[in-house]
Amino acid sequence: MTAIPQERRLVTAVPGPKSLELQARRTATVAGGVGSTMPVFAARAGGGVLEDVDGNRFIDFGSGIAVTTVGASAEAVVRRATAQLADFTHTCFMITPYEGYVAVCEQLAELTPGDHAKKSALFNSGAEAVENAVKIARSYTKRQAVVVFDHGYHGRTNLTMALTAKNMPYKNGFGPFAPEIYRVPVAYGYRWPTGPENCGPEASAQAIDQISKQIGAENVAAIIIEPVLGEGGFIEPAKGFLPALAKFAKDNGIVFVADEIQSGFCRTGQWFACEDEGIVPDLITTAKGIAGGLPLAAVTGRAEIMDAAHSGGLGGTYGGNPVACAAALGSIETMRELDLPAKARRIEEIMKARLATLREKYDVVGDVRGRGAMIAIELVKDRESKEPAAEATAALAKACQQAGLLVLTCGTYGNVLRFLPPLVIGEDLLNEGLDIIEQAFAGL
Ligand SMILES: *Cc1c(COP(=O)(O)O)cnc(C)c1O
């Protein structure tokens, strides 16, 4: 398996002297707008462990934001990408095509929900995939409006900033934003005024009413939603919400786009999160977990929609780079061989049981939610008001990091601790990570 020992080890202060030295070089030369969660510099990573330049080993509950699902140095990814590097690094698929690109599209057709004829186009980043889904939907429907949701996140390019809900840090000062984007409510059960049991039907009715009355269904090209919202706080739309919107889209000739860039590729315990309620999206955007850490993204969907754009209308110099495609084939091979959807469900079982105990013990734990290996704790000042506890969240994340556990935060209110371990993490490491989280709460 991986060369890096699967154990936590702290041998210096965090950050250690070598990381501090690199930090000084970084401050002098890297733009301030690029942030980092951890104060340490990486040396190598694999399985469930990340080692820094000072030799400290962290348990990884971040996976580079849900990317290294198969680990950061998975054997099949390294083997296939290395072989491809030696053959050729780039020809540009738009000039001289190659098999790897086609093979990835075949895998996407097989793995994504629905048994209709499907086609794909490959890109470099999640944001680029979402932008292209919008281009394709507009081209197919000959309509312009795009519907997105409260707490949604779709990227940092100009169009995807407009699709993203949260101002700081993603949008502030970066406007003007693209027109014809409309935001409607999402079924956020924990914060729904009349309670989680009413949330699905009420939120979908509100969203559909706003679309119908404020935009006009006949003007809408696409509805874009994350089946489990990522950056917005690991919000699982309350049951019934996604099916109601998918049906509304179908009845009105609107392209229903599932943005599975974070939730896809085994992360939530199925190949794709929208399978949970039997949703078959017209288009699905993927990236992050697809290629074991190499930059690759895709739009996959109904052949007649995907073929709507004219030849030459989609593409890009690097889109579907051959090394990234080889890595994706290695990543998918690993997911199949190790049955990683099942591993994600097992991780959920272990994490949810232990986090439920935390919820009983500490009032600051407002909600524990998520699916598979996409699990979160929402922190509140008190359970009655549900006032977000952003400072406590930041303090907990820092305490975990200092103790050798890499965790991330998210949420519109900055009050969600999120856990995205690689699906290949060992159960001993997973439990040790949870021990550290418990200790961090005890020390709050
Ligand atoms: C990360 C993310 C994106 C953007 O992907 P990039 O590769 O960072 O451009 C889009 N949508 C969702 C749901 C994401 O989680």
Side-chain angles (χ1 to χ4, degrees):
M1 268 282 297
T2 48
I4 178 166
Q6 294 297 296
E7 60 190 25
R8 179 175 62 113
R9 179 179 82 169
L10 293 179
V11 293
T12 70
V14 175
K18 289 184 180 157
S19 278
L20 285 173
E21 218 178 288
L22 285 165
Q23 184 62 42
R25 284 171 55 194
R26 173 207 173 126
T27 306
T29 197
V30 178
V34 183
S36 294
T37 301
M38 291 285 286
V40 302
F41 279 72
R44 54 185 186 146
V49 170
L50 183 143
E51 188 176 299
D52 75 8
V53 288
D54 290 289
N56 298 303
R57 293 196 190 116
F58 296 84
I59 300 173
D60 183 7
F61 275 15
S63 299
I65 321 187
V67 170
T68 53
T69 301
V70 295
S73 47
E75 188 277 330
V77 172
V78 174
R79 172 171 40 84
R80 285 176 179 257
T82 306
Q84 180 58 50
L85 267 172
D87 284 345
F88 59 94
T89 55
H90 174 82
T91 59
C92 187
F93 192 79
M94 299 185 304
I95 297 177
T96 319
Y98 37 86
E99 183 181 353
Y101 189 116
V102 179
V104 169
C105 296
E106 287 168 350
Q107 291 292 324
L108 283 162
E110 193 183 317
L111 292 168
T112 53
D115 49 16
H116 50 280
K118 291 176 213 157
K119 292 193 175 183
S120 292
L122 304 183
F123 304 96
N124 304 297
S125 69
E128 223 186 319
V130 175
E131 292 235 1
N132 279 279
V134 172
K135 282 167 67 173
I136 293 163
R138 284 178 169 161
S139 183
Y140 177 72
T141 58
K142 315 250 179 334
R143 304 172 180 177
Q144 293 186 354
V146 176
V147 172
V148 288
F149 295 83
D150 287 338
H151 309 288
Y153 180 85
H154 302 286
R156 294 170 177 269
T157 57
N158 186 262
L159 177 55
T160 59
M161 274 194 292
L163 301 173
T164 290
K166 191 177 176 179
N167 177 50
M168 271 303 270
Y170 307 122
K171 304 166 75 163
N172 195 45
F174 299 148
F177 303 112
E180 286 304 315
I181 311 292
Y182 300 89
R183 192 171 309 286
V184 300
V186 76
Y188 189 170
Y190 177 64
R191 291 189 178 275
W192 196 255
T194 56
E197 48 305 322
N198 301 316
C199 181
E202 286 181 15
S204 55
Q206 277 188 22
I208 287 167
D209 184 67
Q210 288 189 16
I211 297 168
S212 309
K213 299 297 182 304
Q214 297 179 23
I215 316 166
E218 67 278 18
N219 297 314
V220 178
I223 294 175
I224 308 180
I225 189 161
E226 301 157 85
V228 178
L229 281 72
E231 304 304 302
F234 281 24
I235 300 161
E236 297 169 83
K239 289 283 174 246
F241 185 77
L242 291 173
L245 279 147
K247 180 175 186 304
F248 175 77
K250 186 159 195 268
D251 292 346
N252 290 280
I254 299 167
V255 176
F256 187 80
V257 184
D259 180 350
E260 292 249 19
I261 288 167
Q262 192 157 163
S263 59
F265 277 102
C266 312
R267 179 54 56 187
T268 63
Q270 320 208 42
W271 279 90
F272 295 96
C274 58
E275 291 169 50
D276 203 57
E277 285 186 277
I279 307 286
V280 177
D282 298 313
L283 299 181
I284 180 164
T285 53
T286 53
K288 294 200 164 95
I290 191 175
L294 275 86
L296 189 71
V299 183
T300 301
R302 295 184 189 282
E304 68 275 18
I305 301 178
M306 290 300 297
D307 280 337
H310 50 276
S311 177
L314 306 177
T317 306
Y318 293 114
N321 169 273
V323 182
C325 286
L329 295 171
S331 173
I332 292 166
E333 176 189 316
T334 308
M335 289 171 181
R336 287 183 195 275
E337 271 175 12
L338 302 181
D339 191 4
L340 290 190
K343 270 294 304 257
R345 294 193 293 274
R346 173 72 184 144
I347 290 170
E348 172 177 349
E349 206 182 323
I350 294 170
M351 293 193 98
K352 284 261 180 88
R354 293 199 49 186
L355 297 179
T357 318
L358 271 188
R359 191 178 184 283
E360 278 162 30
K361 227 165 139 182
Y362 300 104
D363 279 349
V364 70
V365 178
D367 195 22
V368 172
R369 58 174 178 255
R371 293 208 291 272
M374 188 172 180
I375 303 286
I377 304 175
E378 175 159 359
L379 295 132
V380 292
K381 292 191 175 153
D382 72 85
R383 286 183 181 173
E384 202 55 43
S385 74
K386 298 185 180 172
E387 195 187 328
E391 294 93 59
T393 308
L396 285 162
K398 178 132 199 267
C400 290
Q401 289 159 9
Q402 289 294 321
L405 174 69
L406 198 169
V407 296
L408 306 175
T409 61
C410 65
T412 300
Y413 314 109
N415 67 326
V416 179
L417 267 182
R418 60 168 154 173
F419 312 121
L420 292 159
L423 301 185
V424 295
I425 194 170
E427 288 190 11
D428 45 349
L429 273 187
L430 185 67
N431 275 302
E432 195 179 334
L434 289 160
D435 293 342
I436 293 171
I437 293 165
E438 280 172 10
Q439 285 152 19
F441 273 91
L444 197 64

